[in-house]
């Protein structure tokens, strides 16, 4: 019984770790399908920050495998209205340190973390 639970936990952990390691190059080339995005995502111009970082593309490449292409949730929670619950600073801490099943350090670049956090904080 203990071995079965250990194997189940190991399998789940491995699955989450691999899912959190990001997407493939296919998701970055999917930007041309803007007609399939729902209203919960922003257009390309509004997802770019002043530093020129494209938060939506970073999300698609690193976060969408758990949180869904349209922020609807998958393995991770729904983020369509995350800005009504957390500020940009709080979201930055979650991205850096992880929370619950989300591992820390999926994004390492501070500019990218700030851009994604600001973009998500605007989701209300």
């Amino acid at each position: 019984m203990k071995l079965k639970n250990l194997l189940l936990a190991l399998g789940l952990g491995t699955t989450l770790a691999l899912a959190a390691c990001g997407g493939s190059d296919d998701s970055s080339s999917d930007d041309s399908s803007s007609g399939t995005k729902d209203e919960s995502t922003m257009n390309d111009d509004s997802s770019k920050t002043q530093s020129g970082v494209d938060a939506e593309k970073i999300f698609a490449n690193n976060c969408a495998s758990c949180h869904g292409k349209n922020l609807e949730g998958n393995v991770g929670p729904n983020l369509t209205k995350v800005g009504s619950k957390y500020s940009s600073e709080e979201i930055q801490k979650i991205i850096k340190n992880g929370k619950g099943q989300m591992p820390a350090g999926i994004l390492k670049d501070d500019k990218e973390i700030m851009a994604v956090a600001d973009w998500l904080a605007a989701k209300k």
Side-chain angles (χ1 to χ4, degrees):
M1 184 74 166
K2 287 183 180 182
L3 181 60
K4 183 178 178 181
N5 288 340
L6 178 63
L7 290 174
L8 181 62
L10 182 61
L12 180 60
T14 303
T15 301
L16 288 174
L18 291 174
C21 287
S24 66
D25 291 331
D26 294 339
S27 63
S28 64
S29 64
D30 199 25
D31 291 341
S32 63
S33 63
S34 60
T36 61
K37 294 180 186 175
D38 70 20
E39 293 177 18
S40 67
T41 60
M42 300 174 103
N43 64 32
D44 289 329
D45 293 338
S46 62
S47 67
K48 289 187 181 177
T49 63
Q50 291 176 349
S51 63
V53 177
D54 188 341
E56 191 172 358
K57 188 172 184 178
I58 294 166
F59 179 90
N61 290 335
N62 298 282
C63 312
S65 61
C66 290
H67 294 287
K69 181 179 176 184
N70 295 313
L71 311 173
E72 73 276 11
N74 196 4
V75 175
N78 182 318
L79 299 178
T80 56
K81 296 182 180 179
V82 70
S84 62
K85 185 174 181 181
Y86 297 109
S87 69
S88 176
E89 291 78 19
E90 292 169 320
I91 296 170
Q92 288 177 45
K93 287 180 185 177
I94 293 169
I95 294 170
K96 287 180 183 180
N97 303 322
K99 182 174 181 177
Q101 294 180 351
M102 179 177 160
I106 292 174
L107 297 180
K108 305 219 184 297
D109 183 85
D110 285 339
K111 286 182 183 179
E112 289 183 351
I113 292 170
M114 187 179 301
V116 171
D118 289 345
W119 180 69
L120 287 171
K123 306 291 183 189
K124 300 198 183 217

